[in-house]
Amino acid sequence: MLKRREPLSITLRLALLFAAIAAAAFVGVGAYLYQTLSRQMVQRDDMDLLNKAVMLRHVLAEQGSLAALRAQPDMALNTVYGQDIRLRIAAMDGSPLAQNSSALPPPELPGVPAAREPAMGDIRNWHSGTGMARVLNVQATLNRREPPVHITLLRERSDRLAIIRRYAIDLLGALLAGAALVAALGFLIVRTGMRPLYAVIGKANDISAHRLNSRLAVDEVPAELRELGVAFNAMLDRLEEGVQRLSGFAADLAHDMRTPVNTLMVETQVALSRPRTVEEYQALMASNLEEYERLAQMIENTLFLARADNAQLGLQREPLELRAELERIGEYFEGLADDSGVALALELPEGGSLQADAILFQRAANNLVSNAIRHTPRGGRVSLGAHFADGELLVKVRNTGEGIAPEHLSHIFDRYYRADPARPASSSSAGLGLSIVRAIMALHGGRVDAASGPGETCFTLHFPHNG
Ligand SMILES: Nc1ncnc2c1ncn2[C@@H]1O[C@H](COP(=O)(O)OP(=O)(O)OP(=O)(O)O)[C@@H](O)[C@H]1O
Ligand SMILES: [Mg+2]
């Protein structure tokens, strides 16, 4: 099986990158130096050849005749004595008059005419058996009567090339050493530079579920890590809030379950303390049944919220006739409203439908209307209405009454939150109704909000609606 390669550490990666950049720069500079050096060497040697040619012309003119040259060839040959220059003086038919080496190319006729100074452009490359050479062919006159002679000057380049090659090898060595040095230095520098990151990691490691309140000091970390620190702190904020909410949720749940269970226990103990009549037992069981129902309702609601949290609830969306749905809710609450002395008004739209889960829609609206009726004083009024606005369907439940104080308004959608905890615990209120409404709206991709002032409270369900 193929093993997945571990990603390189950032430090190593940066160090290698530095080394690669340094190597590239060194190669560039090295190539430039190499080029310049070899060009300069060729130029110097070529200048040398030109000077020698000029000098030879002088020497030959001084000798003055072919006969003198034949008699004393050394005079001309000494011009290049002791230097790595090969020389041949030949007649214009190519027959040699004087030469210090036979390893020369055949004369390239006619050569630079005697009347003209030789120039760089007159020098040619020549491949001898041993390597590269630079060759210059010029003519020289001895006197006016005799024909000019032909001079061939040659400079081997193999010794120069050897120097340049050694230079190139030195350059390559320096390049490798330099790149290795840069990599090592880069590694050290990056490791030093990364120290703040390790500090941040250390700090993050210190934070455990029990010490969620500790935060990274964002001001002390380098700018590059600041955003990470801010995001990390924000994540901790959310985590801490979640953990707190969860433990609060559990505590509230335990507390709210304890009350009905205690009532059941006490009543049962009292009843068992002595023999009772059948009627007394029946009364006890009837009262117990109420508590059981309350417990069952609470457990059901809590389960519903837990499943909504985990998005385990499958929505069964279907087209709902708005008017019919709202009328049904109105009928359902008619009796309760009458008993509470509250007027229940419906403000129905002409038509229109929405895509929603019928049971959940009813449940959300029921929760709002039952809250409204419960919090409306006798003689007050509750209205249930719906209308379309800005691509949304708004379902509004309004009621008269004292309203909800601003400090409670932001919490009423929290689980187990009751604005008025002094309300007798035996009343069926558990503080879950609005959390359920909110969960239902979230499942539908909508939201719920509440506005309240002295005299009126209004809850609005926002259903997204297209078309
Ligand atoms: N129309 C309203 N007018 C005034 N206060 C309200 C209104 N609706 C809700 N509240 C306040 O918001 C709190 C939370 O409401 P929620 O429906 O979540 O819980 P509950 O009605 O107390 O209990 P449950 O609905 O679980 O039986 C209520 O206790 C009440 O104080
Ligand atoms: Mg309620």
Side-chain angles (χ1 to χ4, degrees), residues 301 367-368 370-372 374-375 399 403-404 412-414 417-420 423 428-435 457 459:
N301 282 344
N367 273 329
L368 292 186
S370 78
N371 275 354
R374 188 183 317 150
H375 291 98
N399 70 290
I404 307 168
I412 49 173
F413 293 101
D414 293 349
Y417 191 86
R418 275 163 298 188
D420 184 9
R423 217 166 247 282
S428 70
S429 129
L432 284 176
L434 288 178
S435 348
T457 303
F459 284 84

Side-chain angles (χ1 to χ4, degrees), residues 269-278 280-281:
Q269 276 165 352
V270 169
L272 286 179
S273 58
R274 58 183 172 79
R276 307 274 176 189
T277 63
V278 171
E280 280 174 323
Y281 282 128

Side-chain angles (χ1 to χ4, degrees), residues 443-462:
L443 286 171
H444 282 88
R447 65 193 169 88
V448 53
D449 59 29
S452 184
E456 189 177 80
T457 303
C458 177
F459 284 84
T460 310
L461 303 179
H462 299 252

Side-chain angles (χ1 to χ4, degrees), residues 302-323:
T302 307
L303 269 180
F304 175 87
L305 283 172
R307 285 212 301 269
D309 271 358
N310 296 326
Q312 281 175 2
L313 284 173
L315 275 194
Q316 311 219 313
R317 282 179 200 262
E318 51 185 299
L320 302 182
E321 281 302 321
L322 253 183
R323 215 184 149 84

Side-chain angles (χ1 to χ4, degrees), residues 305-380:
L305 283 172
R307 285 212 301 269
D309 271 358
N310 296 326
Q312 281 175 2
L313 284 173
L315 275 194
Q316 311 219 313
R317 282 179 200 262
E318 51 185 299
L320 302 182
E321 281 302 321
L322 253 183
R323 215 184 149 84
E325 292 298 322
L326 297 183
E327 268 169 356
R328 189 169 324 147
I329 296 168
E331 277 166 28
Y332 181 74
F333 280 104
E334 234 167 57
L336 181 65
D338 274 353
D339 290 349
S340 320
V342 170
L344 179 60
L346 293 184
E347 291 159 5
L348 298 178
E350 272 313 307
S353 65
L354 87 155
Q355 282 285 336
D357 185 309
I359 295 176
L360 295 187
F361 176 81
Q362 292 274 347
R363 193 164 181 177
N366 283 357
N367 273 329
L368 292 186
V369 177
S370 78
N371 275 354
I373 294 177
R374 188 183 317 150
H375 291 98
T376 307
R378 274 190 177 275

